[in-house]
């Protein structure tokens, strides 16, 4: 058993388990296309089976993002792909043109997932990802600036005048300060 399988409750990220990260995005994009195709078929045929498939796909897409590693494994990815192919087969029987579109989408998903597996920089250097990171960075910088300004305001409020400082000193310390100011 591989090392990452022993520790099934650790959150899987791109840095610690890149293949699970890839499986997650294969499953999520597949379910997203399933939902899209189901909506198109629902509009065209008004079949309630499509509505059930949409709800099922939403639930299964949520499961593909679970943080536990064993929920994001290869067997579960294969199971999801088989379910997507089953839905594609149902669509082919009902509406052939949409079913072919669905099969082409699955082929594209597999092609791009293999391409991403070979080079992870494809995702990291994508315009949308870079825009999202830049937006998050701007948000963090804005938060830091507001916190710094709040801290400056607090410091100004905490700076006391000489009279306030004198009130806080003990009677003996006030006498000594008075003597020093008078030059004795």
């Amino acid at each position: 058993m591989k090392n990452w399988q022993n520790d099934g409750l650790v959150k899987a990220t791109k840095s610690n388990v890149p293949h699970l990260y890839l499986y997650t995005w294969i499953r999520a994009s597949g379910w997203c296309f399933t939902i899209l195709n189901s909506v198109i078929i629902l509009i065209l045929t008004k079949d309630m089976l499509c509505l059930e498939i949409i709800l099922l796909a939403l639930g299964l897409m949520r499961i593909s993002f679970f943080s536990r590693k064993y929920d994001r494994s290869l067997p579960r990815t294969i199971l999801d792909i088989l379910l997507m192919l089953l839905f594609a087969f149902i669509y082919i029987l009902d509406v052939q043109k949409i079913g072919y579109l669905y099969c082409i989408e699955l082929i594209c998903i597999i092609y791009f997932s293999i391409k991403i597996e070979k080079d992870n920089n494809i995702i990291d250097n994508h315009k949308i990802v870079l825009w999202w990171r830049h937006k998050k960075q701007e948000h963090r910088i804005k938060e830091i600036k507001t916190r710094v300004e709040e801290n400056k305001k607090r410091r100004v409020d905490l700076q006391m005048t000489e009279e306030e400082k004198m009130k806080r000193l003990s009677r003996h310390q006030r006498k000594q300060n008075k003597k020093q100011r008078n030059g004795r």
Side-chain angles (χ1 to χ4, degrees), residues 30-120:
W31 287 123
C32 183
F33 282 117
T34 303
I35 292 169
L36 177 69
N37 292 333
S38 298
V39 167
I40 291 171
I41 292 175
L42 181 66
I43 291 171
L44 294 177
T45 63
K46 298 194 176 24
D47 186 4
M48 293 313 273
L49 176 67
C50 296
L51 186 61
E52 294 170 3
I53 290 174
I54 290 171
L55 295 175
L56 179 68
L58 283 172
L60 290 171
M61 185 163 60
R62 189 179 69 83
I63 289 173
S64 66
F65 284 105
F66 275 4
S67 61
R68 295 178 303 208
K69 289 182 184 179
Y70 59 88
D71 287 332
R72 298 167 67 175
S73 61
L74 182 61
R76 292 188 187 233
T77 305
I78 292 171
L79 179 68
D80 276 5
I81 289 175
L82 289 175
L83 278 171
M84 290 176 219
L85 289 174
L86 175 71
F87 294 147
F89 186 68
I90 291 170
Y91 292 156
I92 288 171
L93 293 177
D94 286 345
V95 183
Q96 286 185 346
K97 292 178 184 175
I98 303 256
Y100 294 137
L101 172 69
Y102 189 70
C103 290
I104 290 170
E105 288 171 353
L106 283 175
I107 291 169
C108 290
I109 289 169
I110 293 170
Y111 168 75
F112 283 113
S113 63
I114 291 170
K115 193 173 177 182
I116 290 168
E117 178 68 24
K118 290 180 181 177
D119 184 17
N120 285 331

